Amino acid sequence: YTKDFTLSDMLYGQNLQMALYMKALQENSKDLLGEFLPGGMFYLPAKDEKIDLERVPKDKVESKRLSKLKLVGMFLSDDDAYVLHEPECGGLYAPTKLNKEGFAYKNVDYTKQQYDILSRYLDLKIKQTAQNILSGKTVPNPMDSAKDDACKYCAYFDVCKFKDLHQKAQKQDNVDVFRQMLEELEGQGE
C-alpha cells in the first residue's frame, strides 16, 4: 500500500510532509547542488506487495509486481524532466506516459509558477502553525479524507466529542487548488 497524494488535501493542512521535504531539500542544498527546480515529489511503496499467484497468470506476475511500484505524487510539467524519471516513458513507475499527443500527465503535474505558489503556501502554513502553537491554540479539527475517516484509528474515539464535527476534504482539480492557494496568499499579503 502506498500513501495517496491529493494536492487539494494541502488546503486543509493535510499531506504537507512530502512537499515540506522537497522544499527543505531545495533550500538547504544550494551549496551542494546550486539553484534547482525539483522535478517531482513522490511517495513510493516501501515494500513489494504480495501477489496472489493463483489468480495471476505466470506470464503476468512481473508486470503485476512492477505495477504496484508506481510513484504517487506530482511531476514538474517538463517533458525532459519526466524522461529523467522514466527513460522508457511507458508509465510503468510514473503516473503518466508518452502517447501520440505527447505526455499525458493526468492532473499530476505542476509548472514552475505553480511550484512557486506551493512553496510560498507552505511558508504561510508553517508560519500559521507556529503561531498557533506559540499562542496555545490546539483545537481538535478532525478531517476526513476522500478515503479515510479521521477517527478510524484514534484511541480516544469513544470519549471524543468531535466525532460528529468532521470536516470532509473535497478533492479538487489541481488548477483550482493552486488558484485557492494564490488567493489565500494574496489575502494574507504574502
Side-chain angles (χ1 to χ4, degrees):
Y1 172 75
T2 301
K3 180 172 176 40
D4 284 331
F5 175 78
T6 305
L7 185 68
S8 54
D9 286 350
M10 290 186 181
L11 295 173
Y12 305 100
Q14 309 255 315
N15 238 344
L16 298 173
Q17 183 178 10
M18 181 170 57
L20 286 170
Y21 286 162
M22 184 172 72
K23 181 175 174 53
L25 174 67
Q26 183 186 25
E27 291 181 358
N28 294 296
S29 61
K30 290 178 183 172
D31 291 342
L32 182 62
L33 301 173
E35 293 285 332
F36 68 94
L37 180 62
M41 55 182 178
F42 313 101
Y43 290 115
L44 56 128
K47 64 177 184 168
D48 271 345
E49 292 284 330
K50 293 187 182 345
I51 297 170
D52 185 349
L53 296 175
E54 292 178 8
R55 301 182 84 197
V56 178
K58 285 184 181 182
D59 62 329
K60 304 282 185 194
V61 170
E62 185 64 9
S63 63
K64 183 75 169 171
R65 185 185 74 77
L66 290 174
S67 73
K68 296 191 178 283
L69 299 176
K70 193 169 288 257
L71 300 172
V72 176
M74 294 185 69
F75 280 98
L76 174 63
S77 185
D78 179 291
D79 294 350
D80 293 332
Y82 172 70
V83 170
L84 291 173
H85 287 288
E86 190 168 341
E88 301 298 319
C89 302
L92 181 60
Y93 299 109
T96 189
K97 61 184 172 184
L98 183 61
N99 60 31
K100 292 176 194 169
E101 292 82 40
F103 287 93
Y105 287 104
K106 299 180 188 170
N107 200 37
V108 295
D109 62 323
Y110 59 89
T111 64
K112 180 186 182 327
Q113 292 79 17
Q114 289 170 326
Y115 179 76
D116 291 341
I117 292 169
L118 175 60
S119 182
R120 291 174 36 222
Y121 187 79
L122 288 169
D123 287 340
L124 175 64
K125 290 298 160 191
I126 292 167
K127 181 177 163 184
Q128 289 173 340
T129 300
Q131 288 171 340
N132 287 341
I133 291 169
L134 290 172
S135 68
K137 184 178 176 184
T138 56
V139 179
N141 189 15
M143 174 70 67
D144 292 342
S145 71
K147 287 186 175 184
D148 292 320
D149 176 351
C151 300
K152 185 174 184 177
Y153 301 106
C154 180
Y156 304 101
F157 179 78
D158 293 329
V159 295
C160 179
K161 302 294 184 208
F162 296 97
K163 55 187 161 193
D164 295 325
L165 301 175
H166 291 198
Q167 295 182 57
K168 184 73 170 172
Q170 301 296 318
K171 187 172 181 177
Q172 300 173 45
D173 182 82
N174 288 353
V175 172
D176 292 332
V177 173
F178 283 116
R179 181 187 47 76
Q180 288 179 56
M181 287 178 176
L182 186 57
E183 288 173 1
E184 186 173 343
L185 287 164
E186 289 169 349
Q188 297 288 323
E190 299 287 328

